[in-house]
Amino acid sequence: MKRPILLLALAATLCATQNLFAWGRLGHATVARIAEEHLTKKARANLDKWLDGESIVYYASWLDDYKPQMLVDLGYDPAKGDRMHQLPHTFSVDAEGEVVPGNRWPGTDKYLANCLYYIEESADMLKNRIRELDDSTRLARIQLIVHCVGDMHCPAHIRYPGNTTIGYYKVDYFGREMRYHTIWDSEIVQRPHPWSFTDLAWLLDRYTEAEQAEITSGTVYDWGRESAAASKCIYDVQPGESIAHDFIKKYKPLAESQIAKAGYRLAAVLNDVFGK
Ligand SMILES: [Zn+2]
C-alpha cells in the first residue's frame, strides 16, 4: 500500500451510491488493464514515476468513487456552486453524430461537462505543462484520462438529440425492474460470466496489430463520433420493455468491442502524453 494517509483521507469522501455514471468497476478496470499492456516502455516508466508505482488500473474508477475529492482536485469550487454533474463522464452529439459542447442540465442554466473536451485538455496539460502542476492536480488529470476514455466508449454515456437522459428509464431485465442505463454500465459486461478484470482483458485483447492501428488512428473526437454511430442502436430498447438472453446475445459484442477499443485508445493517449 503506497499511500495509506491519502487513502484514509479519501475513504472519508467515498460516495454511498456508486456506478450510476460509469462503466462499472469491472469495465473500467478492464479498459485500464488492456491499455497497460499496450503502453510503450517510456510511457510505462513515466507513469510509474508520476503514479508512485501504482497501476493505472488502481485509479480507473476514482472519478466515480471519490467524486467530492475529484471535484476539488480538478479545480472546481463547491463553495462557488460547482457540483458533481460538472465532472465529465458523458458527451453529446448532434443530429449528424458530430460531437458538440454539451447539453443543459435539466432545470438549470448549467451545461453538462463533455468528457472528450476534458480528455483533450488533460492530455494537453500533462504533455506540455506537467511540471507546473501540483501533485493532486497532476494525479487527478491522469485519473480523469484513465476513467473518461473508458466512459466515452460506454454506449449509455452518449447523449443524442432528443434523447439526453442516457437511458434513465426502467425496463424489465430478467424479470426484475432495472434502470436501462445500469444494464449498460455493468450488467451487460458481467453477464453471463462474472470474469475478473484480468480475465476479461485477456479475453478481449485479441485484435491484430493492423486492427489496433486502425482503432487508434484519428482524434478523440473521431473516436467519439464512431462510438456514437455504433451505440445509437441501444435505444431500440424502449421504456418498460422486457429484455433477457436475446438482448445480451445481441448487444454484448458491442459492449465488448467498446471496452477493447477504449483500452487501445487509452494506451494511445497515454503513449502520446508520456511516451516521448
Ligand atoms: Zn464515469
Side-chain angles (χ1 to χ4, degrees):
M1 195 62 72
K2 299 267 193 318
R3 291 190 177 82
I5 295 168
L6 178 65
L7 284 175
L8 277 176
L10 285 171
T13 67
L14 184 64
C15 295
T17 54
Q18 293 161 356
N19 291 338
L20 290 177
F21 294 96
W23 285 119
R25 290 199 186 87
L26 175 61
H28 276 295
T30 304
V31 168
R33 181 65 192 131
I34 291 172
E36 200 165 52
E37 284 294 304
H38 294 271
L39 293 175
T40 63
K41 211 173 161 186
K42 181 97 182 280
R44 191 182 283 257
N46 275 322
L47 279 163
D48 268 352
K49 180 174 71 179
W50 296 120
L51 297 180
D52 196 19
E54 293 291 2
S55 164
I56 54 172
V57 176
Y58 183 78
Y59 291 118
S61 289
W62 278 40
L63 205 64
D64 288 329
D65 292 345
Y66 301 107
K67 285 175 182 167
Q69 184 64 48
M70 291 296 301
L71 196 69
V72 173
D73 289 348
L74 288 166
Y76 294 97
D77 186 354
K80 290 183 182 162
D82 290 336
R83 294 292 179 266
M84 303 306 169
H85 69 259
Q86 289 167 263
L87 289 181
H89 301 255
T90 65
F91 70 96
S92 303
V93 294
D94 64 17
E96 278 71 52
E98 293 295 331
V99 177
V100 294
N103 292 103
R104 198 183 289 266
W105 184 251
T108 75
D109 60 356
K110 299 209 171 193
Y111 278 79
L112 291 160
N114 176 332
C115 64
L116 307 192
Y117 287 79
Y118 283 83
I119 292 168
E120 195 176 55
E121 180 186 68
S122 301
D124 178 65
M125 288 168 78
L126 294 167
K127 189 174 180 179
N128 300 312
R129 297 190 281 124
I130 194 161
R131 289 180 196 284
E132 297 168 26
L133 307 178
D134 62 41
D135 289 354
S136 58
T137 305
R138 186 175 59 235
L139 178 59
R141 290 290 171 169
I142 296 172
Q143 290 165 330
L144 184 148
I145 290 175
V146 173
H147 187 84
C148 289
V149 174
D151 268 352
M152 69 171 276
H153 287 83
C154 181
H157 281 237
I158 303 163
R159 297 172 191 274
Y160 297 92
N163 184 4
T164 60
T165 58
I166 52 173
Y168 272 37
Y169 52 78
K170 298 282 175 59
V171 295
D172 180 298
Y173 180 69
F174 288 90
R176 117 182 127 101
E177 191 179 71
M178 190 177 284
R179 187 182 268 169
Y180 188 51
H181 184 98
T182 304
I183 293 166
W184 278 99
D185 278 352
S186 49
E187 286 293 322
I188 198 166
V189 184
Q190 293 167 13
R191 200 175 188 113
H193 304 292
W195 310 111
S196 71
F197 76 84
T198 47
D199 294 338
L200 198 53
W202 183 79
L203 289 164
L204 299 186
D205 185 4
R206 311 242 150 205
Y207 289 71
T208 65
E209 292 287 331
E211 287 167 338
Q212 291 175 40
E214 172 74 25
I215 288 167
T216 55
S217 67
T219 67
V220 69
Y221 299 102
D222 294 327
W223 305 339
R225 194 183 315 114
E226 192 220 74
S227 276
S231 302
K232 204 170 182 181
C233 60
I234 74 167
Y235 293 110
D236 290 349
V237 174
Q238 302 296 315
E241 201 170 321
S242 292
I243 58 175
H245 295 293
D246 287 352
F247 167 84
I248 298 292
K249 193 174 163 195
K250 179 177 176 185
Y251 286 108
K252 195 171 175 71
L254 172 63
E256 291 180 338
S257 66
Q258 288 296 102
I259 286 174
K261 286 176 181 176
Y264 297 131
R265 287 167 176 168
L266 174 58
V269 173
L270 295 174
N271 285 335
D272 180 56
V273 171
F274 295 109
K276 289 171 183 159

